[in-house]
Amino acid sequence: MSKFADFDKGNNSIASTNIMRKFIVAGNWKMNTTVPEGVALAKAVAEKSKEVPANVELVIAPPFTHLGAVAAAVEGSKVALSAQNCADKAKGAYTGEISVDMLKSVGCEYTILGHSERRQYYGETDGKLVEKMKLALEAGIKVILCVGENLQEREAGKHFDVCRSQIENVLYHFSAEDMANVVIAYEPVWAIGTGKTATAEQAEEIHASIRNTVEAKFGRETAQDMTILYGGSCKPSNAKELFAQPDIDGGLIGGAALKADDFIAIALSF
Ligand code: PEP
């Protein structure tokens, strides 16, 4: 059964429960495509986005170099722009960094923060993420915060604890009001780019526990309204089963976001 069975499109809420949760499909392009390739991909996504229901938000996160050109390519469509990261400083002598004001000035609505590749390869700590998130929210940029366990942690049965502490260490520094501009992406590291997807049951039990962690600090309403995405080898063939779970509100998509047809097929899987 479709997740929209009791969705009230008029007021953008799930009618029976009054939940104001958004459904989102976000594409993380990572370090892929040249600018002309990225513009062509963005144009194709924008064109096909007309097929996607109004209550599913589409977000694309191209590399920094593409943002201005991609913003122009998707202008007037329902596709929102995201960065993949931002600096932990507002401005100044930080060679190679990109500030939230710069992102805002090219039309970014979102930034991804804490992707496992940033945590693993670039030493991104929860402390740094707090600094980045403060700057992003102050600048009016919404944050897609990634959490998730690696294979060793999953095999040791620590996956619930890992996700809980990643949420506590970052989100607990913010207010319930801030949570309106935060999306959580659960991305088991062992499923990213590996072709191994968490089963719908594995993903749902973690999503429910993440929602409980949000509720413990911010209360039930905020937790129920929080959009929690699944990421990790999500593709057209498995998106429907994942998105049918009560606590999975869409996906953060890597590889499959590089093909407009696959990305849109995923967005049509609710
Ligand atoms: C990601 O890295 O955010 C991701 C979900 O990648 P993939 O879909 O390729 O596993």
Side-chain angles (χ1 to χ4, degrees):
M1 192 178 63
S2 157
K3 205 158 192 167
F4 295 154
D6 53 1
F7 194 95
D8 177 350
K9 290 184 180 159
N11 67 14
N12 208 38
S13 67
I14 298 172
S16 54
T17 55
N18 231 9
I19 292 171
M20 297 294 288
R21 208 183 286 168
K22 276 192 286 187
F23 301 121
I24 300 176
V25 173
N28 173 14
W29 294 6
K30 309 191 186 187
M31 198 170 71
N32 290 301
T33 73
T34 61
V35 173
E37 288 165 353
V39 167
L41 175 57
K43 280 186 178 159
V45 170
E47 180 55 33
K48 290 171 199 294
S49 70
K50 294 172 191 154
E51 300 162 27
V52 176
N55 48 7
V56 176
E57 203 174 318
L58 279 181
V59 180
I60 54 175
F64 287 135
T65 44
H66 300 32
L67 289 170
V70 166
V74 300
E75 200 179 346
S77 78
K78 67 178 263 132
V79 181
L81 197 60
S82 176
Q84 298 175 15
N85 184 28
C86 70
D88 61 340
K89 302 285 189 297
K91 65 185 290 190
Y94 301 102
T95 303
E97 290 295 309
I98 305 288
S99 76
V100 289
D101 286 347
M102 294 171 190
L103 297 179
K104 189 81 187 164
S105 73
V106 288
C108 272
E109 263 183 63
Y110 286 89
T111 185
I112 297 171
L113 288 180
H115 191 281
S116 61
E117 288 151 13
R118 304 259 358 135
R119 293 179 190 259
Q120 191 180 343
Y121 306 135
Y122 301 98
E124 193 120 296
T125 60
D126 288 337
K128 280 254 184 271
L129 292 173
V130 172
E131 297 310 314
K132 291 182 177 198
M133 191 156 154
K134 272 186 194 153
L135 291 165
L137 295 178
E138 277 166 21
I141 294 180
K142 291 176 261 187
V143 169
I144 301 173
L145 177 70
C146 302
V147 299
E149 80 285 357
N150 63 31
L151 186 60
Q152 216 181 355
E153 291 160 339
R154 160 84 38 181
E155 285 174 349
K158 293 184 179 154
H159 40 297
F160 291 105
D161 290 344
V162 168
C163 293
R164 186 174 55 243
S165 64
Q166 287 174 339
I167 302 262
E168 287 175 356
N169 292 346
V170 180
L171 289 195
Y172 278 25
H173 292 267
F174 295 86
S175 68
E177 291 69 46
D178 289 330
M179 292 306 109
N181 294 311
V182 174
V183 169
I184 298 172
Y186 167 61
E187 300 207 302
V189 180
W190 48 271
I192 294 179
T194 59
K196 282 189 203 159
T197 318
T199 64
E201 293 70 30
Q202 282 174 323
E204 170 58 23
E205 64 178 1
I206 289 267
H207 278 236
S209 116
I210 287 171
R211 206 176 292 289
N212 286 339
T213 306
V214 174
E215 181 172 339
K217 169 80 173 170
F218 302 108
R220 185 167 167 75
E221 201 181 321
T222 300
Q224 285 303 319
D225 288 350
M226 175 68 74
T227 299
I228 307 178
L229 309 179
Y230 169 79
S233 300
C234 184
K235 40 190 182 269
S237 59
N238 58 25
K240 212 175 190 69
E241 199 189 348
L242 288 159
F243 296 175
Q245 303 303 312
D247 288 293
I248 301 182
D249 310 311
L252 180 55
I253 317 299
L258 296 172
K259 289 190 185 141
D261 285 342
D262 286 356
F263 186 59
I264 296 298
I266 292 170
L268 292 173
S269 299
F270 286 93

